[in-house]
Amino acid sequence: DAAGALTFLTRCADADLVLEAYNEGAFGSSVERSDQDLQGQNGNEALTLQVTAGQTVYFRVMLLSSSGSAAYRVTSGLIPQ
């Protein structure tokens, strides 16, 4: 476990995604949200959070439209402090 900048990103060619981050036990509202369509691609989203050692963070990936499904990739990385 380490503190630092945690980045979580999605890649999807077939749908417009939304990415949200939640703290453990606080699922009523997200601490961060991304619907930026990075690099002009609807499914490319990214969030970077400052985290402490041992902190639990949950990520939610969903389609912008409420129907259908799509395959996507997720990647995460931590830059320690």
Side-chain angles (χ1 to χ4, degrees), residues 4-35:
L6 174 64
T7 299
F8 189 93
L9 55 95
T10 64
R11 294 293 181 255
C12 178
D14 301 324
D16 191 1
L17 300 180
V18 175
L19 175 60
E20 296 177 331
Y22 295 86
N23 285 321
E24 185 174 26
F27 301 112
S29 63
S30 61
V31 293
E32 293 287 338
R33 177 182 167 96
S34 175
D35 184 22

Side-chain angles (χ1 to χ4, degrees), residues 6 10 27-28 49 52 54 61 66-67 81:
L6 174 64
T10 64
F27 301 112
L49 306 171
T52 59
V61 179
S66 59
S67 62
Q81 290 180 334

Side-chain angles (χ1 to χ4, degrees), residues 2 6 8-11 16 19 25-26 32 36-37 42-43 45 56-57 60 64-66 71 74 76 78:
L6 174 64
F8 189 93
L9 55 95
T10 64
R11 294 293 181 255
D16 191 1
L19 175 60
E32 293 287 338
Q36 302 172 3
D37 303 333
N42 286 341
E45 305 298 337
T56 301
V57 179
R60 176 181 178 189
L64 185 61
S65 66
S66 59
V74 296
S76 65
L78 178 73

